[in-house]
Amino acid sequence: MSYILGISALYHDSAAALIHDGEIVAAAQEERFSRRKHDSRFPQNAVHYVLSEAGITLADVASVVFYDKPFLKFERLLETYLATAPRGFNSFRKAMPVWLREKLFLKDLLVRELRQIESGFSGEQLMFSEHHFSHAASAFYPSPFEEAVVLTLDGVGEWATTTVAMGKGSDLRIDKEIHFPHSLGLLYSAFTYYTGFKVNSGEYKVMGLAPYGEPKYKATILENLIDVKEDGSYKLNQAYFNYTHGLTMTNQAFADLFGQPVRKPETDDLTQFHMDIAASVQAATEEVVLRMTRALAREYDCPNLCMAGGVALNCVANGKILRDSAFKDIWIQPAAGDAGGALGAALGAWHGEMKKPRTVQRGDAMKGAYLGPSFDTQEVAAQLEKAGARFEILDDDEIIARTVDALSEEKAVGWFQGRMEFGPRALGGRSILGDPRSPSMQKVLNLKVKYRESFRPFAPSVLREHVSDWFELDYDSPYMLLVADVHESIRQQMSDEESRLFGIEKLNVKRSDIPAITHVDYSARVQTVHQETNPKYHALIDAFRDRTGCPVVVNTSFNVRGEPIVGSPEDAFRCFMGTGIEVLVVGNAFLRKEDQNPDLAENYEEKYELD
């Protein structure tokens, strides 16, 4: 009987994960406890949580596994500096103190941090995994496949930026790698920077902006920035980038190529040019990934594909991989970024290092990604009372009936239930819900609840048994990682006048019977809801269907722009009071905004640094 603790930390999205004899017990990101978005510090709170979920102490853990190898990363830093010297001196000078103080002596730092949790921790049980192996393990081992090709794509690990692995049973081997500075993730991040969004957090905004534009610059990208071979292998032309030796992602040659300077988010508006740039890098990324997956399907003659790494969160590209059908089935790790590396490190040690057998589970082994903390009614009531909330405790049937009432009245509902999700998506555990039939819901949620850009799309949660009636999809998508078009039968065709609209003007055109979740290109980022993994959320949507005939609700994460997703009932109440959310449902506690003391309201619009 062995517990293994996995840790990712000190770059971005720190997390901890605990497995027991190969079964996932708990996993959580540090940001949910610390309330600092993308928190990169050692995940003290997350480690405490996963141990408490299992009812153990660190002394009961057989191995602690860190998700990458800092010496290899340091080697890359030095070699890159030497290759580009003296141009990279400023970048090198800024990085060195942190490396010499912390990261180069990471084992000592980890042992010190772990001794704060358990004073007798010796460090002998500390192990290190390679970054992309952690990603690959997080994708393959929990997947529903006995064997699969495993593709990982991100910015950079130690040296690797893209890897191909083959998984069979409990064996996982990496066969191919593309190395830094050539990186599809860094290419996308370069355009994130160029369009004025924050690197490592704003990439999904570029993806959301892309449908408002035309891919006018796709050929420019493929002819100048990235040389893509028929099998999807690629190289980036470093003449246009600055990340190997500078403090920015792109250089003047990059700006000259596209004819405009880097957008300054504080002063420069998003224009049609930026929408076309977003559409172009998205199209180029899809081209590279599809060439890669088609070649891998031919080479390995295996019907199953697993994916992880930050690029695997590009749900538009994922949807196209599925529809392309080179692979019959695909499965993507819901915590595909660095946080998921904590889970992959633990699973990789269990199956890879310790050679323990693997049992393939129906659906997958992630338990719907509901791997974080939960709160019973007593804990909920205590936290809400402490916060000064006024609430009622209702039984399950009444909670669902009252929530359906609120949704039907087009109210924004904070929905805090069960265990918290692991990964960047809210999946009906820590969500804000709305009526997808409302033409005004997208704008209201963006501007009055989330305090974010009006173009940002919202996702639908749909009952799995009804997904193919409403979307061009008949496939499990429990983790909101596949984009599909809304069904032809519920689309509303645009008039000639509407068709001539450009860019953000398209936003106000009603495109379907569920306009709040229909993007401007008729697409939606679909989450299928399964009774087995989230019975209460399933029951709520089913009750909404009984009332309205619509088995779909709007689902967006329970937070405002720049804030981590809420982690506790107190967090939920504060966000409720600081935003336009009108009803809050925490477990079996029901709260209405008009019942609350208005003095408890905070200014959430300016509370968090913009992401």
Side-chain angles (χ1 to χ4, degrees), residues 71 74 78 134 151 234-235 253 293 312 357 364 520 523:
F71 278 110
F74 186 65
L78 288 178
S134 296
L151 177 63
Y234 60 85
K235 284 190 171 183
T293 52
D364 62 51
V520 294
S523 70

Side-chain angles (χ1 to χ4, degrees), residues 188-384:
Y188 210 91
S189 292
F191 281 90
T192 303
Y193 167 80
Y194 183 62
T195 49
F197 300 120
K198 192 178 285 187
V199 171
N200 288 331
S201 70
E203 283 75 9
Y204 62 94
K205 296 184 189 180
V206 176
M207 184 176 67
L209 195 61
Y212 294 96
E214 300 291 331
K216 295 178 180 177
Y217 303 98
K218 178 184 174 185
T220 305
I221 294 169
L222 293 175
E223 288 166 11
N224 295 276
L225 300 186
I226 182 167
D227 176 21
V228 191
K229 303 303 182 190
E230 202 49 47
D231 65 355
S233 59
Y234 60 85
K235 284 190 171 183
L236 298 192
N237 183 350
Q238 291 301 307
Y240 293 95
F241 300 96
N242 205 28
Y243 57 77
T244 60
H245 55 273
L247 300 172
T248 60
M249 292 299 297
T250 62
N251 59 21
Q252 189 59 45
F254 189 103
D256 292 344
L257 181 65
F258 295 104
Q260 289 203 24
V262 174
R263 184 176 82 92
K264 296 183 178 70
E266 307 83 16
T267 56
D268 298 347
D269 289 336
L270 278 169
T271 66
Q272 188 62 48
F273 168 76
H274 300 109
M275 296 169 202
D276 293 341
I277 283 286
S280 302
V281 70
Q282 179 64 33
T285 300
E286 290 166 11
E287 171 91 12
V288 177
V289 172
L290 284 170
R291 283 196 202 181
M292 209 175 278
T293 52
R294 288 166 186 164
L296 292 174
R298 288 193 300 269
E299 180 181 350
Y300 283 89
D301 192 27
C302 173
N304 306 318
L305 175 69
C306 296
M307 293 178 67
V311 179
L313 293 171
N314 191 312
C315 48
V316 179
N318 296 341
K320 292 192 175 180
I321 294 168
L322 180 66
R323 289 191 296 279
D324 190 58
S325 299
F327 286 94
K328 179 176 174 285
D329 289 301
I330 70 171
W331 190 85
I332 303 145
Q333 165 55 239
D338 277 8
L343 179 60
L347 290 169
W350 177 253
H351 296 295
E353 289 294 316
M354 301 176 190
K355 306 297 182 190
K356 300 294 185 180
R358 168 174 171 255
T359 303
V360 177
Q361 296 190 22
R362 181 177 168 273
D364 62 51
M366 289 294 295
K367 303 178 182 177
Y370 305 111
L371 297 169
S374 63
F375 300 84
D376 62 27
T377 301
Q378 196 173 353
E379 290 169 317
V380 167
Q383 286 203 23
L384 291 178

